[in-house]
Amino acid sequence: MTEMNTENNLEAMQRAHGPLLEVKNLQVDFTTDEGKAVHAVRNSSFSVYPGQWVAIVGESGSGKSTVANMVLKLLEPTAGTVTYDGKDISGFKGKELLDFRRHVQPVFQNPYGSLDPMYSIYRSIEEPLRIHGIGDKKSRAKRVRELIDMVELPESVMSRYPNELSGGQRQRIAIARCILKDAPIVILDEATASVDVDNERYIQEAISELVRGKTLLVIAHRLHTIRDADQILVVAGGRIAQCGDHASLSDQPGIYQDFVQKRSGGSRHESV
């Protein structure tokens, strides 16, 4: 009874605050080099409340990563809006955009693209502190060493460059940068899809600590990573085809139930 009351109180608090992220009637169209019109995302809407964990799943090419990129303001929608804490992010510029980037932090499937190849690992982690005027050179160096230790990498990686690290090590650096920014919203875009089993296990544990008490949007294709999500959005053909938690969607005939049944006897690394 106490646990149920706690959950009800949390839900009531979330609804009273209103959504932290809200996507309304989102649409993305583009034309291929061959002149073919593609509707990547079609009339999609959903809300993410404070402290909530929302997962977006679907086959490759279904539009789930496109949605994440628009939430991060890395892509502009053809139509529709994305709001953060009640404000339309399409108008964010300058300091407002910089503040938004500090509050919404991604960890991508391939972290190499988010690490400047010309920067050492030390500079990649230290740069946000320097840009925002946090601490002096000595205190920033101490903080970088602490973060390297937190993600269980040797201090020697600080002098290395992204191309000198493995995929799993680069993902740990991405997590270190995410911890540094302490953003209230974390967006994970298939963050463990390209790492080996040992690194995946560690990264999942590190992410669990990283997102404790935060609002979480996860783009995923592995069933075991989304079972505990508060809300699962199933994307197909650029549309949100189903919405619910794992239990309700598993009992409901449709795409998600088919996914569960196909994978129930298979490898934990099988994709949607």
Side-chain angles (χ1 to χ4, degrees), residues 101-105 178-186 214:
R101 297 260 190 255
R102 291 181 66 183
H103 284 84
V104 183
Q105 180 65 27
C178 201
I179 294 171
L180 173 67
K181 293 187 177 181
D182 194 27
I185 301 177
V186 177
K214 299 182 184 296

Side-chain angles (χ1 to χ4, degrees), residues 25-219:
N25 305 319
L26 211 59
Q27 183 169 323
V28 177
D29 303 324
F30 63 88
T31 304
T32 66
D33 293 338
E34 293 76 27
K36 180 182 178 182
V38 176
H39 305 293
V41 178
R42 306 184 186 193
N43 197 34
S44 296
S45 300
F46 63 90
S47 299
V48 183
Y49 288 84
Q52 194 176 38
W53 173 9
V54 175
I56 303 178
V57 298
E59 295 181 350
S60 296
S62 62
K64 56 188 187 294
S65 289
T66 302
V67 172
N69 284 330
M70 285 187 292
V71 169
L72 288 163
K73 207 180 184 313
L74 299 177
L75 287 176
E76 295 296 331
T78 306
T81 59
V82 178
T83 59
Y84 168 69
D85 206 16
K87 297 180 180 178
D88 187 344
I89 70 171
S90 64
F92 286 0
K93 294 178 182 178
K95 183 179 183 301
E96 197 170 28
L97 179 58
L98 187 63
D99 288 343
F100 173 72
R101 297 260 190 255
R102 291 181 66 183
H103 284 84
V104 183
Q105 180 65 27
V107 178
F108 294 108
Q109 175 179 350
N110 179 9
Y112 190 79
S114 62
L115 297 173
D116 191 320
M118 303 300 291
Y119 285 8
S120 68
I121 298 304
Y122 174 83
R123 184 174 177 185
S124 291
I125 299 175
E126 184 260 357
E127 186 183 34
L129 294 174
R130 182 171 48 81
I131 288 175
H132 296 292
I134 299 173
D136 56 19
K137 187 174 181 180
K138 184 177 180 180
S139 65
R140 291 197 296 268
K142 179 182 178 183
R143 182 59 176 151
V144 173
R145 286 194 296 271
E146 289 173 348
L147 289 165
I148 291 293
D149 184 62
M150 285 176 68
V151 296
E152 298 183 14
L153 287 173
E155 195 170 307
S156 58
V157 303
M158 292 195 299
S159 62
R160 298 168 70 183
Y161 289 80
N163 67 312
E164 299 177 302
L165 304 182
S166 69
Q169 289 174 323
R170 286 195 290 267
Q171 197 62 290
R172 294 186 188 208
I173 296 302
I175 291 170
R177 294 177 72 193
C178 201
I179 294 171
L180 173 67
K181 293 187 177 181
D182 194 27
I185 301 177
V186 177
I187 297 180
L188 305 175
D189 189 354
E190 299 186 323
T192 62
S194 59
V195 300
D196 58 36
V197 176
D198 289 337
N199 270 303
E200 182 190 19
R201 186 179 300 111
Y202 168 79
I203 290 168
Q204 287 287 5
E205 292 173 356
I207 286 173
S208 294
E209 288 299 315
L210 166 66
V211 303
R212 194 182 302 277
K214 299 182 184 296
T215 302
L216 184 61
L217 180 63
V218 177
I219 313 302

